[in-house]
Amino acid sequence: MRALMGADLRVVVLDDLSAGRAGRLPPTVPLIRADVRDRMTVRDAIIRYHVSGVIHLAALKDVAASYEDPLGYHRANLDTLADLLEVLVDLRTPHLVFSSTAAVYGTADSYAEDAPTRPSSPYGRTKLAGEWLIGDVGAATGLNHAILRFFNVAGAGAPALADTGGDNLLPRLLRAAVEGGKATVHGTGHPTPDGSCVRDYVHPSDIAGAHVAAVRALEAGGLTADTLNVSRGVGVSVLELIAAVERATGQPLPYVVGEPRPGDPPTAVADPARIRDRLGWRAQRSLDDIVGSAWAATAAQLRIARQRRPHDVATTL
């Protein structure tokens, strides 16, 4: 939202606030509190605000939870997309930017956009099916669309924008540092240089910049249907991420080795050449920028919490 406004684009937000926080929006940005499955409210918002394009970010994304509730994940991630597409087609809303995921690749030899897609989790399969649905609707109706496959988003765009995703690795590591506990590394026997899983981490501000670039390209007519990786193209292992947390916090972070998680590929590092060539976008933030920004946001939250509940907040730092 901040990046779009910084590019002089008008923004309307529709969110059920199951994970979002209304206080993160300035009063100049309209907030419609609703579920994306509420087709009448979505329809009314598009008409009322003369919406020319939708950025669809609403989804469930916990890989482990998707094994436990595959029906819920299909309903949340695929059925709701079908509802949204029906509204967009009916109102002839011309543009869609869809947030997809590296999980569509599964365990792969290559993570370029034209590589085979073999998602290993129900979550990944819902997102791949969503990509197929958008492609079919676009071919049939002329809906212009950009599918952005995020790799591991980590960090904070500002101190007030801390990651609240409890299952994400970096917040879990920082929480362990704050609480004085031990981090858990899910397996150190993977076929990687240090045995821990390797991922491609990208800063939220870079992700936001990719959305701005996609919106601009759709508006200008230079993009009609494309799938693009959004990543740094740099692999970082879990143990390397722990070392970066130690640099940011200035203290050691001990860890224990747990069992590998189902559906976790040993390595997932993108090839971001296509988005660079077609949209002129490339990630700007380093690993230390990512971890440092997350730590700054966590520290800001701690300061606020201590002011409110000085006796209930961990003081190990």
Side-chain angles (χ1 to χ4, degrees):
M1 180 274 297
R2 293 184 181 195
L4 291 165
M5 293 180 68
D8 294 323
L9 293 162
R10 294 176 61 221
V11 181
V12 177
V13 174
L14 187 143
D15 196 328
D16 68 359
L17 299 183
S18 57
R21 296 180 178 179
R24 291 182 169 184
L25 294 178
T28 55
V29 174
L31 170 62
I32 301 165
R33 185 168 183 174
D35 194 303
V36 71
R37 288 171 283 203
D38 183 349
R39 286 190 289 177
M40 288 306 299
T41 299
V42 173
R43 180 186 178 90
D44 291 346
I46 290 173
I47 294 171
R48 177 182 177 186
Y49 292 100
H50 307 286
V51 169
S52 62
V54 170
I55 297 175
H56 183 38
L57 291 151
L60 299 179
K61 60 173 286 293
D62 187 328
V63 171
S66 74
Y67 283 96
E68 299 169 1
D69 185 18
L71 279 174
Y73 266 67
H74 275 78
R75 292 191 184 105
N77 294 356
L78 194 54
D79 293 352
T80 58
L81 174 61
D83 289 339
L84 175 62
L85 288 170
E86 185 174 345
V87 174
L88 298 183
V89 170
D90 184 51
L91 296 179
R92 299 183 180 179
T93 307
H95 307 311
L96 172 68
V97 179
F98 177 66
S99 68
S100 189
T101 170
V104 301
Y105 294 109
T107 300
D109 297 325
S110 168
Y111 291 88
E113 291 87 347
D114 55 0
T117 48
R118 295 186 290 265
S120 54
S121 67
Y123 163 65
R125 287 189 278 274
T126 65
K127 300 301 283 188
L128 181 59
E131 291 188 12
W132 291 342
L133 180 57
I134 291 168
D136 290 342
V137 171
T141 67
L143 175 69
N144 298 323
H145 58 274
I147 294 169
L148 303 183
R149 290 177 177 168
F150 305 171
F151 278 66
N152 288 60
V153 187
L161 299 178
D163 184 356
T164 59
D167 186 60
N168 294 339
L169 177 58
L170 183 53
R172 286 194 285 115
L173 295 179
L174 292 175
R175 187 162 58 247
V178 168
E179 295 172 354
K182 293 183 178 181
T184 298
V185 178
H186 291 283
T188 55
H190 298 285
T192 61
D194 64 18
S196 64
C197 286
V198 171
R199 293 293 181 267
D200 190 340
Y201 293 95
V202 59
H203 195 282
S205 295
D206 285 328
I207 291 278
H211 282 80
V212 172
V215 168
R216 288 296 196 207
L218 287 168
E219 285 188 331
L223 182 65
T224 57
D226 213 342
T227 300
L228 304 163
N229 287 335
V230 183
S231 72
R232 292 194 304 138
V234 178
V236 176
S237 74
V238 176
L239 296 183
E240 288 173 328
L241 187 62
I242 288 175
V245 169
E246 292 177 334
R247 289 195 297 273
T249 62
Q251 66 179 45
L253 177 58
Y255 65 87
V256 296
V257 178
E259 291 296 320
R261 296 186 298 185
D264 242 1
T267 300
V269 180
D271 177 357
R274 180 183 290 186
I275 192 171
R276 181 185 65 235
D277 296 342
R278 298 185 182 179
L279 299 186
W281 176 92
R282 67 174 68 233
Q284 302 294 319
R285 281 88 177 170
S286 68
L287 175 64
D288 284 334
D289 292 333
I290 290 169
V291 177
S293 67
W295 175 238
T298 299
Q301 284 190 323
L302 279 174
R303 286 193 295 272
I304 293 171
R306 285 178 177 137
Q307 291 170 358
R308 293 174 178 171
R309 305 185 310 278
H311 302 297
D312 297 333
V313 179
T315 56
T316 57
L317 300 182

